[in-house]
Amino acid sequence: MTDADDAGRTDVTLLTARAVEPGYEQDFQEWFGRVTKTASAFPGHLGDGLFRPPTAGGPWVLIHRFRDHESARGWTTSPERAALFDNCEGHHQTEVARRELSGMETLFTTPQDTATVAPPRWKMALAALAAVLPISLIGNGLLGPALGVWPLPARVFTLALLFSTLMTYLMMPTVTLVLRRWLYATTSTAREGPPR
């Protein structure tokens, strides 16, 4: 893969919410272990995750990350995945929601939001601007003069580290919380595939 291909690549996150009957949680987790072992052998696989329900009886959320849409499609259409997901009856679980996220959508979605459609791109862009602007002002206004004597690579690395950390842990969570009603004002529930 060339550098140009890497620059245009968009990671894909697959979220699946599954309802598990009480008393079968251990069976479900063992089943998910087999799913992750199988998925990890697929080209472009970047990792998996399993989120427990925040409340009793809520759905469990399975997360699979892939390098690009082609890699994700290779997994979702594979006979290996079909065999695992078609053989769920003995584990007393059913799919209740499914999402595929890429690009900025991942910044506006939590594992509990599997049934919520991401906001329109223009709203995501404005929300990201609202998060980036304060960091840019702080970074350039306060740190700019102090970092002016540093070599260019050191300055860029320091500001990039500041931006990515504050965006991920402070600004995006705050902005999406404050603007939540506006961001999701025109969205509807996600289109779900048939339960499996």
Side-chain angles (χ1 to χ4, degrees):
M1 181 175 289
T2 65
D3 290 341
D5 291 333
D6 281 334
R9 190 186 74 196
T10 302
D11 293 353
V12 174
T13 301
L14 306 175
L15 287 84
T16 307
R18 302 190 72 85
V20 180
E21 291 183 24
Y24 292 91
E25 294 84 359
Q26 184 61 39
D27 290 340
F28 173 74
Q29 291 178 76
E30 291 173 1
W31 169 83
F32 181 68
R34 294 191 294 275
V35 171
T36 59
K37 182 178 179 181
T38 304
S40 66
F42 276 71
H45 179 265
L46 299 178
D48 301 290
L50 180 64
F51 286 82
R52 295 173 176 271
T55 56
W60 294 66
V61 178
L62 291 65
I63 295 178
H64 299 284
R65 290 184 58 243
F66 289 88
R67 182 178 60 234
D68 50 33
H69 287 281
E70 183 178 352
S71 301
R73 189 164 47 250
W75 162 248
T76 58
T77 61
S78 70
E80 292 90 343
R81 181 191 181 280
L84 285 163
F85 280 77
D86 287 345
N87 185 26
C88 293
E89 291 77 12
H91 304 290
H92 299 266
Q93 53 164 299
T94 54
E95 181 177 295
V96 295
R98 189 187 318 155
R99 293 285 305 279
E100 180 176 309
L101 305 173
S102 60
M104 288 183 65
E105 290 178 335
T106 56
L107 295 174
F108 293 87
T109 306
T110 68
Q112 288 72 39
D113 290 334
T114 51
T116 304
V117 175
R121 289 186 182 274
W122 67 270
K123 286 189 175 184
M124 289 193 286
L126 288 177
L129 174 64
V132 167
L133 190 58
I135 302 174
S136 297
L137 290 172
I138 293 171
N140 290 302
L142 297 180
L143 294 180
L147 299 179
V149 296
W150 289 20
L152 180 61
R155 282 200 317 265
V156 171
F157 175 80
T158 301
L159 290 174
L161 179 62
L162 173 70
F163 273 56
S164 61
T165 302
L166 291 179
M167 281 288 288
T168 302
Y169 293 103
L170 177 63
M171 295 308 297
M172 286 310 299
T174 301
V175 167
T176 54
L177 179 63
V178 171
L179 299 180
R180 188 169 187 81
R181 292 185 64 181
W182 173 74
L183 283 166
Y184 297 96
T186 60
T187 60
S188 57
T189 57
R191 291 186 296 274
E192 299 175 5
R196 298 186 61 186

